[in-house]
Amino acid sequence: MTISMHQASVPLFRRQLGALLAWLDKAEAHATARKFDPNNYLQLRLAPDMLPFVSQIRIASDAAKGCVARLAGVEPPKFEDNEATLAELRERVRKTLAYLDSVPADAVDGSEGRDIVIPMRPPREPVQMKGLFFLQHWALPNFYFHVTTAYALLRHAGVELGKGDFLAVG
């Protein structure tokens, strides 16, 4: 049995983004139960030089939609990066899920050999790779890095999340 590029990407993104929505709900419930502003989570970080929680969500969203768009050979949609509440972060994740659903599987399938170009901040040159390498060695690791970091930040803040929440089981 073979696996298509769509099967190797979109369902994985959908599952983790769905889990992320559940984590945001748990974070809000945690803050409400302890009587503090749930939006305090947005600036959480584990180290002074790391990007805050809000950025982790934005980058995970960008990684998912950017991957699928590039594999489909289209320009990724741009989001504003102006979320200031958990509700706005949830909406961003939902917009990302809607975008993933809007890309036909046949637009992604067969993209293993497609040339993918990733723009970099100057003075660095764009990075170029083939679709399969991009998916396996760039897009999925980047996505999971930021999703895992978001999970760790919420756990560190006391939100009751476990491995089952991360794996989106049950």
Side-chain angles (χ1 to χ4, degrees), residues 8-168:
S9 58
V10 173
L12 284 71
F13 293 136
R14 287 197 53 64
R15 182 181 183 114
Q16 278 321 120
L17 291 170
L20 186 54
L21 285 173
W23 307 345
L24 292 171
D25 290 344
K26 284 190 170 193
E28 186 150 14
H30 178 262
T32 300
R34 283 152 188 82
K35 299 183 181 2
F36 67 85
D37 183 354
N39 299 318
N40 288 344
Y41 293 118
L42 274 66
Q43 296 309 313
L44 287 176
R45 22 180 124 222
L46 296 173
D49 64 344
M50 78 181 287
L51 293 172
F53 179 78
V54 65
S55 296
Q56 303 301 328
I57 306 300
R58 289 174 183 158
I59 296 169
S61 163
D62 290 347
K65 66 186 172 68
C67 174
V68 172
R70 287 182 178 95
L71 291 176
V74 299
E75 190 68 27
K78 292 188 181 359
F79 294 171
E80 290 293 316
D81 290 345
N82 60 358
E83 297 83 12
T85 66
L86 287 184
E88 289 171 351
L89 284 177
R90 274 197 224 49
E91 182 55 31
R92 183 189 184 104
V93 173
R94 287 187 193 104
K95 282 184 359 187
T96 304
L97 287 165
Y99 175 73
L100 296 179
D101 290 343
S102 77
V103 178
D106 63 356
V108 175
D109 287 341
S111 62
E112 295 87 346
R114 177 171 279 140
D115 289 322
I116 306 294
V117 178
I118 307 296
M120 304 302 282
R121 289 189 199 121
R124 293 181 61 196
E125 294 295 317
V127 176
Q128 298 182 35
M129 60 196 91
K130 296 295 183 184
L132 182 60
F133 187 91
F134 166 69
L135 175 62
Q136 293 177 324
H137 300 280
W138 184 284
L140 287 174
N142 186 48
F143 174 76
Y144 279 108
F145 175 87
H146 292 286
V147 169
T148 301
T149 300
Y151 172 89
L153 286 166
L154 291 176
R155 282 285 292 134
H156 184 71
V159 178
E160 293 181 21
L161 296 172
K163 191 173 188 177
D165 295 294
F166 185 85
L167 297 174

